[in-house]
Amino acid sequence: MFAPVAIALLVLVVYFAFKAKRLAIALEKSQNSKPSIDPNDTIRALFETSNDAIAIIDRNFTIVAANRKTQQEFESVFGQKYDIGANVLELLVEQPQQQVQARKLWSRALGGESFTVTEVFEDGSGERRYYEMSFSPIAGEDSTIERALVLTREISDRVRAEQALQQCNERLESRVRQQTTQLTETNELLQQEIRDRASTQSQLVQQEQLFNAFFQGASVGLVILDPQLRYLQINTALAEIDGVPLEEYQGKTIEDILPDLASTLIPLYRQVLETKEPISKTSLSGETPKQPGVVRYWEASYFPLFGEDENDQPLGVGGVVVEMSDRVRAEEALRENEEKFRQLVESIREVFFIYSADYQKLIYLSPAYEEIWGRSCQDLYDNPTRWLETVYPEDREIVRDELVKQFQGQLFHREFRILKPDDSIVWILGRTFWSRDETGRIGRIVGIAEDISDRKQLEMSLQRSLRRIENLHQLDRAVLEAQDPATLADAAIYNLQQLIPCDRATIATFDFEAQTATILMTRGGGEQSAGVGFQLPLPVFQPLIEQFQQGASYAIADLSLFRGSGEMEALQAERLNEFVSFPLQTEQGLLGILKLWLEEPKTLDREQISIATEVSAQIAIALQQARLFQEVRRYTAELEDRVRERTAQLQDINQELESFTYSVSHDLRAPLRALQGFATALLEDYGDTFDDLGRDYARRLVVAAEQMEQLIQDLLTYSRLSRAELRLNEINLSATIAEAIAQLETPIQQAQAQILVEEPIVSMYGNRAILLQVIANLLSNAIKFVAPGVQPHIRIGTELQNETVRLWIEDNGIGIDPKYSQRIFRVFERLHGNETYPGTGIGLAIVRKGMERLGGRSGFESTPGEGSRFWIEGQLPKRES
Amino acid sequence: MIRAFWSKIVSQAKQAILLVEDDSNDVLLVQRAFRLAQFGGSIKIVSDGEEAVSYLSRQPPYENRELHPFPLLLLLDLKLPRRSGLEVLEWLRQQPELKRLLVVVLTASRESLDVKKAYDLGVNSYLVKPVLFEDLVILMNNLGTYWFKLNENPEVFNGWNS
């Protein structure tokens, strides 16, 4: 707002500056030229009369020019006058602050700067005066600044006006601020109110929505009718019950919608409208469009709907309808079920009962109780705990225990006996269960009591049977283990008495040849007079024997039947009067009888009789076996005697044979040695005196003797093979073959025989000496029996068969006709003349006999003219640890 | 005195053999073989067990030490009349002065029972009479070589030289 003033001032200052310069120039011109008429007088006048103070100073701060106004102002401010040519700084000596300020300002202007400042001075009266001062440099002709001009204008009024305006302004603004604050607050209050209203509005809407949701969502039927009984509102559930679409109700009456029910419903509504009293839970039934022809059931409540004032007429009627059809039907079904259950429970043989959880109240008891317990149901209804008294005294303890357990949460499950009023015993299986209600709380005790007497009897008889079987087994074992009749009879009676208690039990055996009966074993009374070994004439038992021979399986006998035998009187004295007897019968006939003495033989039941019969049969068989066993033993003993006898005989014979062999080996050879020795001596000592024939004879003597020696040697070997006791062990056949080859070194060399041993050679179980002899004999044959001029080629090998080892020797000899296959293994059997193939005919017999002694075999395969393959078979070496 | 006397006898008859053999054929054959084998020394013959015992115990008719020198080796047949070879052996081994005398059985028997018994009674060797004469010669030759050249023989009388 001060800008235009400033601009105006500036224009003015510039203008005056310009003028001032021209004035200065003029002044100078005037001083120099001193014109008379200065065209610039006007300007001077203006300068002098200007309302602004204008002053010019030079570089020495000397006032060069100043107008009147300047002097006035200076005086009013500084309280002194000055003259042109005065020094500013000097003027202000006494006001150092002003002096410094003046020097600073003037120096700036003299430095060439144009500027405007506002200065404040205090005048003599202490009033603050504001001046606006504009400084401008004034340049000389050479453009150097020699002077400066200042234009000063008091602006105190203006400043004060400005200050006043400013104050006024500030006051106004303050008030505006106040007003604004008030307005803002009001505004917020208003807005709050608007918000509150909006909120209330939405709550209302929400509540209506809630109400609608509740109304429509309710599972019971809800309806509102106006006093004219037109539908105002109805919910989905009721529309569903009615079976009418929701939108059809609008403005309709009950008659429109439910014609069949109108006559039932309308009076109810009217009653509510008239009495203004609600009708609570009334049962309705009828047909709806939903299921025409089907009667349905509901429970309905009706109540008047009032406005603000309950005394006014109701605005309408509200109704709540609940569908009851299913429940009504379920109740009917339940009643039916209960009836079925009752019929079932009352028709079964088991007693069914329901007690209260504390057993103090009997809620239900099925009529079977009367039959099983022999007591009236009413009796137990009256005294619910009395049933414990009916429990058989011995069983009460366990029943009580079981009851205690039941109260600890376990189930009652127990077999026990009860006593009926007629003192008969009935076996009961009692079982109870906790019956829980819907919440899982124990409500009642439900139970079944069952008459298990039949089953119990069956069990007991089964146990008896098992015991019986067990006893029979023991009897069997005893009988099997016993080797002599007395022991087995004892075992049989002992075990039988475990099954059938009797005063005396006896087994008597019959000897039909000797016509006697002997007590084999007896236990119980009468052992003194008629104990083991007691014998009596068989005819005493004739009446029984006859009965059994006619097929009777047992017979009851009174001792009076057997009068005359000493035994019977003695037994009678011990009051053993009657016995039951069972036959000990086998295929071989009647061996004896089993007698059981009893006080009352007729009390034996069927089972006991069948046990005794069974046992009798077993005893009979065992007796028969024992007899056979004894017989066998006797035979065995006889046989053993005979074997011993025979063995002794054989040993004798063997002994003789041995000494015979000894003689043969010793004595038969002596003449041979003489024959050979002297024939040799003849040839050697007297050969010269013999002619050729004589020498030939002598040589034949030598050869014959040698053959005889070989024969004797072989025979001895053969004989020794038969007799010698052999020690068998694992024989390394490879070594044995080598040994045999070494023995036959001379004949092998003579025949130029080639022998090939096919390794590997396995071991055989046998006797070294025999195997060596056998192999040597076979090898010797293989070398010997070749066609003249043929070099023997022999192969030896072994092979493993299942359990045996076979050694074979193959040659390229003359072969053997198969028809001689058996003969050649016999002693002295020869197929060739001694001239062709000399031999004793014992070699192969030794082979066969030797292998027989080793438990092996021997044989050959041959093609005459091509060769033979002889083999021997022995056992594999035994694997001994 | 006796020892000195026996010493002389033994040294004179260093290689004397006493053959106990009842078979005259065998006696002739052994004698011939003994000769052919160039055994050296002499061979004395007795024909049964009794005689053998008599000879060794210097009973008549064997008192003459010149004619019946003490043998270095007894060649004993087993099957002998009157007293068997085994009996002679058994007797001999029981005589303190004779028990170490070398005894070789020469018999026809190969029976293992005889062999076992002979060794049980302490025979030094057991030989079987070969049937072939040339074998007998070889046997006699080996016998001499073995017993008289190779074998270190015991002193028959204990402490005899002392």
PDB file of all heavy atoms in Angstrom, chain B residues 108-124:
ATOM      1  N   ALA B 108      57.069-172.293   8.247  1.00  0.00           N
ATOM      2  CA  ALA B 108      56.204-172.280   7.061  1.00  0.00           C
ATOM      3  C   ALA B 108      54.954-171.448   7.314  1.00  0.00           C
ATOM      4  O   ALA B 108      54.249-171.073   6.389  1.00  0.00           O
ATOM      5  CB  ALA B 108      55.797-173.708   6.718  1.00  0.00           C
ATOM      6  N   SER B 109      54.641-171.141   8.561  1.00  0.00           N
ATOM      7  CA  SER B 109      53.356-170.485   8.893  1.00  0.00           C
ATOM      8  C   SER B 109      53.414-168.962   8.710  1.00  0.00           C
ATOM      9  O   SER B 109      54.317-168.307   9.189  1.00  0.00           O
ATOM     10  CB  SER B 109      52.991-170.796  10.337  1.00  0.00           C
ATOM     11  OG  SER B 109      51.936-169.966  10.745  1.00  0.00           O
ATOM     12  N   ARG B 110      52.390-168.499   8.001  1.00  0.00           N
ATOM     13  CA  ARG B 110      52.222-167.052   7.902  1.00  0.00           C
ATOM     14  C   ARG B 110      51.108-166.571   8.831  1.00  0.00           C
ATOM     15  O   ARG B 110      50.706-165.422   8.772  1.00  0.00           O
ATOM     16  CB  ARG B 110      51.811-166.653   6.481  1.00  0.00           C
ATOM     17  CG  ARG B 110      52.884-166.777   5.463  1.00  0.00           C
ATOM     18  CD  ARG B 110      52.293-166.485   4.088  1.00  0.00           C
ATOM     19  NE  ARG B 110      53.254-166.788   3.040  1.00  0.00           N
ATOM     20  CZ  ARG B 110      54.212-165.942   2.672  1.00  0.00           C
ATOM     21  NH1 ARG B 110      54.323-164.776   3.250  1.00  0.00           N
ATOM     22  NH2 ARG B 110      55.064-166.289   1.723  1.00  0.00           N
ATOM     23  N   GLU B 111      50.581-167.494   9.600  1.00  0.00           N
ATOM     24  CA  GLU B 111      49.427-167.125  10.436  1.00  0.00           C
ATOM     25  C   GLU B 111      49.784-165.967  11.358  1.00  0.00           C
ATOM     26  O   GLU B 111      50.775-166.002  12.080  1.00  0.00           O
ATOM     27  CB  GLU B 111      48.956-168.334  11.275  1.00  0.00           C
ATOM     28  CG  GLU B 111      48.307-169.407  10.456  1.00  0.00           C
ATOM     29  CD  GLU B 111      47.075-168.895   9.700  1.00  0.00           C
ATOM     30  OE1 GLU B 111      46.143-168.432  10.385  1.00  0.00           O
ATOM     31  OE2 GLU B 111      47.064-168.945   8.450  1.00  0.00           O
ATOM     32  N   SER B 112      48.912-164.961  11.327  1.00  0.00           N
ATOM     33  CA  SER B 112      49.223-163.761  12.088  1.00  0.00           C
ATOM     34  C   SER B 112      49.256-164.067  13.575  1.00  0.00           C
ATOM     35  O   SER B 112      49.964-163.415  14.333  1.00  0.00           O
ATOM     36  CB  SER B 112      48.201-162.667  11.791  1.00  0.00           C
ATOM     37  OG  SER B 112      46.926-163.096  12.181  1.00  0.00           O
ATOM     38  N   LEU B 113      48.480-165.071  13.974  1.00  0.00           N
ATOM     39  CA  LEU B 113      48.470-165.432  15.390  1.00  0.00           C
ATOM     40  C   LEU B 113      49.870-165.857  15.833  1.00  0.00           C
ATOM     41  O   LEU B 113      50.382-165.450  16.878  1.00  0.00           O
ATOM     42  CB  LEU B 113      47.466-166.583  15.599  1.00  0.00           C
ATOM     43  CG  LEU B 113      47.034-166.801  17.027  1.00  0.00           C
ATOM     44  CD1 LEU B 113      46.196-165.625  17.525  1.00  0.00           C
ATOM     45  CD2 LEU B 113      46.221-168.101  17.130  1.00  0.00           C
ATOM     46  N   ASP B 114      50.513-166.688  14.993  1.00  0.00           N
ATOM     47  CA  ASP B 114      51.872-167.150  15.302  1.00  0.00           C
ATOM     48  C   ASP B 114      52.843-165.969  15.336  1.00  0.00           C
ATOM     49  O   ASP B 114      53.690-165.878  16.222  1.00  0.00           O
ATOM     50  CB  ASP B 114      52.334-168.156  14.231  1.00  0.00           C
ATOM     51  CG  ASP B 114      51.595-169.488  14.378  1.00  0.00           C
ATOM     52  OD1 ASP B 114      51.122-169.748  15.516  1.00  0.00           O
ATOM     53  OD2 ASP B 114      51.486-170.228  13.386  1.00  0.00           O
ATOM     54  N   VAL B 115      52.694-165.104  14.333  1.00  0.00           N
ATOM     55  CA  VAL B 115      53.603-163.961  14.231  1.00  0.00           C
ATOM     56  C   VAL B 115      53.503-163.116  15.497  1.00  0.00           C
ATOM     57  O   VAL B 115      54.497-162.755  16.121  1.00  0.00           O
ATOM     58  CB  VAL B 115      53.269-163.111  12.981  1.00  0.00           C
ATOM     59  CG1 VAL B 115      54.194-161.906  12.895  1.00  0.00           C
ATOM     60  CG2 VAL B 115      53.386-163.963  11.723  1.00  0.00           C
ATOM     61  N   LYS B 116      52.228-162.825  15.879  1.00  0.00           N
ATOM     62  CA  LYS B 116      52.014-161.990  17.057  1.00  0.00           C
ATOM     63  C   LYS B 116      52.623-162.632  18.292  1.00  0.00           C
ATOM     64  O   LYS B 116      53.329-161.978  19.072  1.00  0.00           O
ATOM     65  CB  LYS B 116      50.506-161.793  17.277  1.00  0.00           C
ATOM     66  CG  LYS B 116      49.909-160.674  16.436  1.00  0.00           C
ATOM     67  CD  LYS B 116      48.452-160.479  16.839  1.00  0.00           C
ATOM     68  CE  LYS B 116      47.570-160.272  15.617  1.00  0.00           C
ATOM     69  NZ  LYS B 116      46.167-160.588  15.888  1.00  0.00           N
ATOM     70  N   LYS B 117      52.306-163.917  18.478  1.00  0.00           N
ATOM     71  CA  LYS B 117      52.788-164.613  19.679  1.00  0.00           C
ATOM     72  C   LYS B 117      54.308-164.582  19.745  1.00  0.00           C
ATOM     73  O   LYS B 117      54.892-164.329  20.804  1.00  0.00           O
ATOM     74  CB  LYS B 117      52.297-166.071  19.667  1.00  0.00           C
ATOM     75  CG  LYS B 117      50.952-166.251  20.364  1.00  0.00           C
ATOM     76  CD  LYS B 117      50.658-167.740  20.490  1.00  0.00           C
ATOM     77  CE  LYS B 117      49.287-167.992  21.112  1.00  0.00           C
ATOM     78  NZ  LYS B 117      48.922-169.425  20.959  1.00  0.00           N
ATOM     79  N   ALA B 118      54.938-164.872  18.595  1.00  0.00           N
ATOM     80  CA  ALA B 118      56.397-164.911  18.560  1.00  0.00           C
ATOM     81  C   ALA B 118      56.990-163.585  18.997  1.00  0.00           C
ATOM     82  O   ALA B 118      57.906-163.526  19.823  1.00  0.00           O
ATOM     83  CB  ALA B 118      56.862-165.256  17.143  1.00  0.00           C
ATOM     84  N   TYR B 119      56.410-162.516  18.449  1.00  0.00           N
ATOM     85  CA  TYR B 119      56.948-161.197  18.830  1.00  0.00           C
ATOM     86  C   TYR B 119      56.651-160.883  20.288  1.00  0.00           C
ATOM     87  O   TYR B 119      57.446-160.278  20.984  1.00  0.00           O
ATOM     88  CB  TYR B 119      56.422-160.106  17.890  1.00  0.00           C
ATOM     89  CG  TYR B 119      57.213-160.039  16.608  1.00  0.00           C
ATOM     90  CD1 TYR B 119      56.717-160.540  15.418  1.00  0.00           C
ATOM     91  CD2 TYR B 119      58.495-159.472  16.614  1.00  0.00           C
ATOM     92  CE1 TYR B 119      57.456-160.493  14.255  1.00  0.00           C
ATOM     93  CE2 TYR B 119      59.247-159.424  15.452  1.00  0.00           C
ATOM     94  CZ  TYR B 119      58.728-159.940  14.274  1.00  0.00           C
ATOM     95  OH  TYR B 119      59.458-159.890  13.145  1.00  0.00           O
ATOM     96  N   ASP B 120      55.433-161.310  20.733  1.00  0.00           N
ATOM     97  CA  ASP B 120      55.096-161.089  22.139  1.00  0.00           C
ATOM     98  C   ASP B 120      56.119-161.764  23.058  1.00  0.00           C
ATOM     99  O   ASP B 120      56.443-161.253  24.124  1.00  0.00           O
ATOM    100  CB  ASP B 120      53.698-161.635  22.453  1.00  0.00           C
ATOM    101  CG  ASP B 120      52.609-160.755  21.858  1.00  0.00           C
ATOM    102  OD1 ASP B 120      52.949-159.638  21.391  1.00  0.00           O
ATOM    103  OD2 ASP B 120      51.426-161.188  21.846  1.00  0.00           O
ATOM    104  N   LEU B 121      56.611-162.910  22.592  1.00  0.00           N
ATOM    105  CA  LEU B 121      57.560-163.658  23.435  1.00  0.00           C
ATOM    106  C   LEU B 121      58.991-163.159  23.251  1.00  0.00           C
ATOM    107  O   LEU B 121      59.918-163.679  23.858  1.00  0.00           O
ATOM    108  CB  LEU B 121      57.479-165.151  23.111  1.00  0.00           C
ATOM    109  CG  LEU B 121      56.148-165.807  23.545  1.00  0.00           C
ATOM    110  CD1 LEU B 121      56.069-167.256  23.045  1.00  0.00           C
ATOM    111  CD2 LEU B 121      56.001-165.785  25.061  1.00  0.00           C
ATOM    112  N   GLY B 122      59.159-162.170  22.352  1.00  0.00           N
ATOM    113  CA  GLY B 122      60.474-161.543  22.254  1.00  0.00           C
ATOM    114  C   GLY B 122      61.370-162.081  21.161  1.00  0.00           C
ATOM    115  O   GLY B 122      62.592-162.084  21.302  1.00  0.00           O
ATOM    116  N   VAL B 123      60.791-162.502  20.043  1.00  0.00           N
ATOM    117  CA  VAL B 123      61.622-162.971  18.938  1.00  0.00           C
ATOM    118  C   VAL B 123      62.289-161.777  18.279  1.00  0.00           C
ATOM    119  O   VAL B 123      61.772-160.663  18.330  1.00  0.00           O
ATOM    120  CB  VAL B 123      60.765-163.783  17.941  1.00  0.00           C
ATOM    121  CG1 VAL B 123      59.968-162.836  17.038  1.00  0.00           C
ATOM    122  CG2 VAL B 123      61.640-164.724  17.104  1.00  0.00           C
ATOM    123  N   ASN B 124      63.452-161.974  17.700  1.00  0.00           N
ATOM    124  CA  ASN B 124      64.160-160.859  17.080  1.00  0.00           C
ATOM    125  C   ASN B 124      63.770-160.683  15.631  1.00  0.00           C
ATOM    126  O   ASN B 124      63.828-159.585  15.093  1.00  0.00           O
ATOM    127  CB  ASN B 124      65.665-161.080  17.170  1.00  0.00           C
ATOM    128  CG  ASN B 124      66.126-161.080  18.606  1.00  0.00           C
ATOM    129  OD1 ASN B 124      66.184-162.140  19.233  1.00  0.00           O
ATOM    130  ND2 ASN B 124      66.419-159.916  19.161  1.00  0.00           N
TER     131      ASN B 124
END
